[in-house]
Amino acid sequence: MTHTQAWCWHAPGEPDQLTLTRQALPTPGPDEVLVANRIIAFNPVDWKLIEQGHPHWQPGHVPGVDGMGTLVTLGANVTHLRPGTRVAYHTDLHHGGSFARHTLVPARALMPVPDALSDEAAAALPCPGLTAWQALAKLPHLHGEALLITGAGSSVGRFAVQLALQKGARVFASASPRHHQWLKQLGVQGVADYRDPDWLAQLQAANGGEPFEGIIDLVSSQQAEALLPALGYYGHMVTVLGRIARNPLPAFSHCHSLHEIALGAQHAFGSDKQWSRLVAAGVAMMAQMTSGELTLPPLVVGDFDALPSLLTRVKQEGQGEKYLVRVG
């Protein structure tokens, strides 16, 4: 095989403007591998960047950050892996992504997939699961502490809630009503509809009127800043969508710590040690998915040839489900 196919971006716009293009099969660099994709997973960042563009994208760029497949070709320095191994990955926004039959991936970013885990489940993990793990890693004290997670019905939120409960946190969550039942079944102590004007007051009351030790905000930097008064002294705010550029509260008062999450930035700035830690966390989560200790949202699986239309559906109505594409 000398060629492959990829869905290519040409200018800021809608998913249906992507074009299916025949391309030469890429050759891995010394520290890269070539993955034959089996499943491509969608994340909000995919359609947002297709809509807005990216400073490093040129016409013909292949979008997509998450996928899974089998190793085809290994770079010269990759000696710890074998062709045919099933792997999941989160790849670099600056380079060609997962919306293709084949993708070049840095070898240090690969997560071997357990034999008993399905292709679909493995592909659903990287971006949301690793983002949730990074968010919780920012919080030094969780056992027995009150943690508020906003946007808990999202894929990141679902992982964050389950991982926090495993660590013994007392979790409180905002989400749309369709998610309330399973959040309560998981053991979340307080759940509120984010559309209610007094949703925060409801969750504070569920926490006995006490402030939260930590907040993981999955909505916006503006909301995160507005939630700072709900944090207790020495509390921790973790923002995933945007950042709080400056703490609006007086210095040397509440002593809040502000944290930001940028999973994609690890490709540019993460050390090999940090990648090893992140990959180990992903492998551990896949083991928990295999055993049923971590659960996924409902999966919606489409075909590679219909990728743009399915991504349009994600953008317009995706709420709570995880959308995937099977590469035939």
Side-chain angles (χ1 to χ4, degrees):
M1 181 187 298
T2 59
H3 288 80
T4 187
Q5 286 182 309
W7 286 100
C8 294
W9 175 94
H10 302 282
E14 297 299 320
D16 62 8
Q17 294 175 265
L18 298 176
T19 61
L20 187 59
T21 306
R22 186 172 184 262
Q23 297 184 338
L25 199 66
T27 300
D31 299 304
E32 295 179 318
V33 301
L34 182 65
V35 177
N37 291 318
R38 290 186 179 183
I39 301 289
I40 299 164
F42 292 150
N43 296 284
V45 67
D46 296 322
W47 62 259
K48 289 178 181 179
L49 286 178
I50 289 170
E51 178 181 80
Q52 301 165 11
H54 186 281
H56 292 274
W57 288 12
Q58 298 296 321
H61 181 86
V62 180
V65 294
D66 276 0
M68 76 76 54
T70 57
L71 299 184
V72 177
T73 311
L74 311 181
N77 295 338
V78 182
T79 59
H80 64 293
L81 297 167
R82 295 289 180 270
T85 301
R86 296 167 69 232
V87 294
Y89 63 85
H90 177 278
T91 195
D92 192 345
L93 284 170
H94 294 74
H95 304 294
S98 62
F99 288 7
R101 294 188 182 277
H102 295 83
T103 302
L104 287 179
V105 183
R108 66 180 185 174
L110 297 172
M111 295 174 287
V113 177
D115 291 341
L117 190 65
S118 71
D119 292 349
E120 292 79 6
L125 169 72
C127 187
L130 298 179
T131 297
W133 181 86
Q134 283 190 333
L136 288 165
K138 294 286 189 180
L139 302 171
H141 305 294
L142 281 172
H143 188 80
E145 300 291 350
L147 173 64
L148 170 62
I149 300 177
T150 67
S154 65
S155 293
V156 176
R158 189 180 187 108
F159 278 110
V161 165
Q162 293 179 86
L163 294 174
L165 289 169
Q166 289 179 3
K167 292 179 179 293
R170 298 169 44 243
V171 178
F172 302 82
S174 70
S176 62
R178 64 183 296 187
H179 302 298
H180 289 191
Q181 182 177 357
W182 68 259
L183 285 167
K184 292 175 182 177
Q185 289 174 341
L186 285 174
V188 175
Q189 294 192 13
V191 183
D193 183 350
Y194 65 91
R195 289 169 293 194
D196 289 344
D198 64 343
W199 69 266
L200 180 58
Q202 294 176 35
L203 295 179
Q204 288 174 312
N207 191 34
E210 295 294 319
F212 298 104
E213 167 70 14
I215 298 176
I216 297 176
D217 184 77
L218 301 173
V219 178
S220 69
S221 56
Q222 293 78 17
Q223 173 171 283
E225 184 170 330
L227 292 176
L228 283 174
L231 276 179
Y233 174 68
Y234 257 64
H236 294 263
M237 170 65 71
V238 184
T239 57
V240 176
L241 298 178
R243 65 185 295 189
I244 300 177
R246 180 179 178 276
N247 193 331
L249 300 178
F252 305 109
S253 59
H254 292 81
C255 297
H256 290 162
S257 295
L258 307 182
H259 308 277
E260 60 184 287
I261 301 302
L263 176 62
Q266 180 148 330
H267 289 278
F269 302 106
S271 67
D272 287 343
K273 181 179 180 180
Q274 288 170 319
W275 269 108
S276 178
R277 188 181 301 130
L278 186 68
V279 165
V283 170
M285 281 188 278
M286 283 194 284
Q288 290 187 322
M289 291 161 65
T290 302
S291 67
E293 296 172 80
L294 281 177
T295 63
L296 292 170
L299 303 181
V300 179
V301 185
D303 295 324
F304 181 75
D305 289 344
L307 185 150
S309 61
L310 189 63
L311 187 56
T312 297
R313 180 177 167 189
V314 173
K315 178 179 178 178
Q316 295 175 346
E317 60 186 67
Q319 291 188 8
E321 297 85 7
K322 184 66 175 179
Y323 287 77
L324 312 166
V325 167
R326 182 177 291 109
V327 183

